[in-house]
Amino acid sequence: MATLINLTPHLLNIIAADGSTVYIPPDGNRIARVASTSSIIATVNGININRQTFGKVMDLPDAQDDVVYIVSRMVKDRVPDRDDVVVPGVPFRDTDGKVIGAWGLSL
């Protein structure tokens, strides 16, 4: 069985194949993120318009046997060839439309 490591800052509620909910707490030590810089390119009605430029992934460990890392979609999009890096699946919402979990995990 693989070890799931949540590198997001959120408690994840994942709906498993059998319909049960698996709770995956954040790692607590690391949050995988994409570096970014921002620069003001214009001002409209007194509001700055910024251009963000995204760089490399930070705090994503190297692949390890039997370890799966759960990250944000932005991080996953930067490492598309890593099958050990996944994101929460399709959002599961309550009757008010609030996201309360995800249907499985996704590449």
Side-chain angles (χ1 to χ4, degrees):
M1 182 182 324
T3 299
L4 298 172
I5 298 178
N6 176 1
L7 296 179
T8 77
H10 311 287
L11 170 67
L12 300 177
N13 305 324
I14 305 297
I15 309 302
D18 66 2
S20 64
T21 301
V22 178
Y23 300 97
I24 307 170
D27 174 69
N29 296 316
R30 301 167 289 194
I31 299 173
R33 298 193 187 275
V34 176
S36 68
T37 58
S38 182
S39 59
I40 299 169
I41 60 169
T43 302
V44 176
N45 296 340
I47 300 169
N48 290 335
I49 307 295
N50 294 283
R51 173 174 287 131
Q52 271 191 294
T53 304
F54 298 100
K56 69 179 202 169
V57 173
M58 303 180 314
D59 294 323
L60 178 62
D62 292 334
Q64 298 181 48
D65 290 340
D66 298 320
V67 175
V68 175
Y69 298 104
I70 306 168
V71 300
S72 70
R73 172 53 66 187
M74 182 176 272
V75 170
K76 175 59 184 168
D77 287 349
R78 292 285 196 194
V79 293
D81 296 335
R82 289 214 24 203
D83 292 338
D84 65 318
V85 177
V86 298
V87 298
V90 175
F92 178 71
R93 299 177 186 275
D94 66 13
T95 56
D96 294 325
K98 178 182 173 191
V99 175
I100 58 172
W103 295 103
L105 298 168
S106 178
L107 290 172

